[in-house]
């Protein structure tokens, strides 16, 4: 399943961050994504292929109410 990743979206990954959060805010897209953990604010760089493989859901910023 293909997702349309955009800066500002919240991506839900299969793997849990040590702080307990599953959701990451997308700060940058490209060959590598920069993600910020919504739980603790920790930032990571992840290859796009890894993000795509581990995505369980994508919440568009435009859908946030
Ligand atoms: Zn975290």
């Amino acid at each position: 399943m293909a997702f349309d990743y955009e800066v500002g979206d919240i991506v839900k990954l299969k793997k849990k961050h040590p702080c307990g959060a599953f959701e990451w805010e997308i700060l940058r897209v490209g060959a590598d994504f920069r993600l910020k953990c919504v739980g603790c604010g920790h930032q990571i760089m992840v290859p796009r292929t890894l993000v795509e493989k581990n995505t369980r859901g994508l919440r568009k910023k435009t859908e946030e109410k």
Side-chain angles (χ1 to χ4, degrees):
M1 181 171 182
F3 290 95
D4 177 28
Y5 301 98
E6 288 179 297
V7 171
D9 293 346
I10 303 293
V11 63
K12 192 172 188 181
L13 300 180
K14 279 176 194 154
K15 269 189 77 168
K16 185 168 72 169
H17 195 241
C19 75
F22 285 93
E23 295 187 321
W24 299 77
E25 181 182 350
I26 298 175
L27 300 182
R28 207 187 85 185
V29 294
D32 292 307
F33 281 22
R34 179 174 285 278
L35 302 176
K36 186 174 87 174
C37 176
V38 300
C40 67
H42 183 71
Q43 292 188 18
I44 57 169
M45 292 290 288
V46 195
R48 183 187 182 100
T49 51
L50 201 67
V51 176
E52 288 175 337
K53 210 166 64 180
N54 288 291
T55 296
R56 264 171 52 184
L58 186 68
R59 186 148 48 85
K60 306 298 288 180
K61 59 181 172 182
T62 50
E63 289 170 8
E64 281 183 30
K65 290 268 156 60

